[in-house]
Amino acid sequence: MTREALRERIERNLASHCRTTTTSTDLRPAAVTVAIVTDDADVDCFVLIRRSNTLRAHGGQWALPGGRVDPGETSAEAGLRELEEEVGIKARAGSILGLLDDYPTRSGFSITPVVVWCGSGSNLVVNAAEVAEAHLVPITELVRPGVPRLRSIPQSDRPVISIPLVGTQVHAPTAAVLYQFREVALLARSTRVDHFEQPVFAWK
């Protein structure tokens, strides 16, 4: 598949997806970006970060670039702003391919995932105050056998979802967002993920 065909396929699949939104006023709005970047080997990847250990909330956890939605911002605007602030990728509004379902977190956020086509030549410039490390992960990693991994925990009757990436297990909410990206954007399957649980360490 050509790169342009991949972009058109993702955009078409997102446009046909009837996304769900969270209307609870108890949840604070946040946004993350599934940023699609072509690496130096001409491989289509997404950006995965590990949050700085010094952050008060969710320090050291694997995530997608993102953060809180500021007053007056849309989720899409917040996603693009956070993408630039955290890894130095400046993307235009026209590069947004679509949105995935809102994901409510245990820590009190409603996360809106924004899918962004960043193209080639995007060098990651990590903001060390917020990001400990950043990786370009081939999107083919999301369609390998064994994705996703589901397990049960005594603290919840919902299955905990994770995806094996960069030599570790990446958990929800990131794993839930990436799994829906795979299902909806790449495979054109109508799949919901808000029922997937986070590990207990991510509840606060």
Side-chain angles (χ1 to χ4, degrees), residues 17 52-53 71 120 137 159:
H17 175 64
S52 172
N53 291 324
S120 60
V137 182

Side-chain angles (χ1 to χ4, degrees), residues 32-36 46-47 64-65 100 113-117 177-178 181:
V32 298
T33 55
V34 181
I36 304 169
F46 63 90
V47 179
L64 298 166
L100 293 166
V114 185
V115 181
V116 183
W117 186 270
V177 170
L178 288 174
F181 171 74

Side-chain angles (χ1 to χ4, degrees), residues 42-129:
D42 204 36
V43 175
D44 295 312
C45 302
F46 63 90
V47 179
L48 181 70
I49 66 170
R50 186 171 66 81
R51 291 167 57 83
S52 172
N53 291 324
T54 61
L55 293 175
R56 288 180 298 176
H58 306 296
Q61 294 181 23
W62 291 97
L64 298 166
R68 297 186 185 188
V69 177
D70 287 342
E73 277 187 321
T74 66
S75 298
E77 290 168 342
L80 294 182
R81 174 180 54 77
E82 291 284 353
L83 182 64
E84 183 176 5
E85 289 178 359
E86 294 187 345
V87 295
I89 296 178
K90 188 171 184 177
R92 298 170 300 172
S95 64
I96 295 174
L97 302 185
L99 307 178
L100 293 166
D101 293 354
D102 289 349
Y103 182 88
T105 73
R106 287 279 192 171
S107 56
F109 288 93
S110 174
I111 298 176
T112 300
V114 185
V115 181
V116 183
W117 186 270
C118 299
S120 60
S122 296
N123 296 318
L124 302 184
V125 181
V126 171
N127 178 353

Side-chain angles (χ1 to χ4, degrees), residues 134-170:
H135 300 265
L136 295 180
V137 182
I139 61 174
T140 53
E141 290 292 299
L142 300 177
V143 293
R144 292 189 304 132
V147 175
R149 177 190 174 194
L150 300 177
R151 63 186 177 89
S152 60
I153 58 174
Q155 296 89 345
S156 175
D157 59 0
R158 299 160 53 194
V160 174
I161 185 172
S162 66
I163 297 177
L165 297 169
V166 296
T168 188
Q169 291 289 326
V170 174

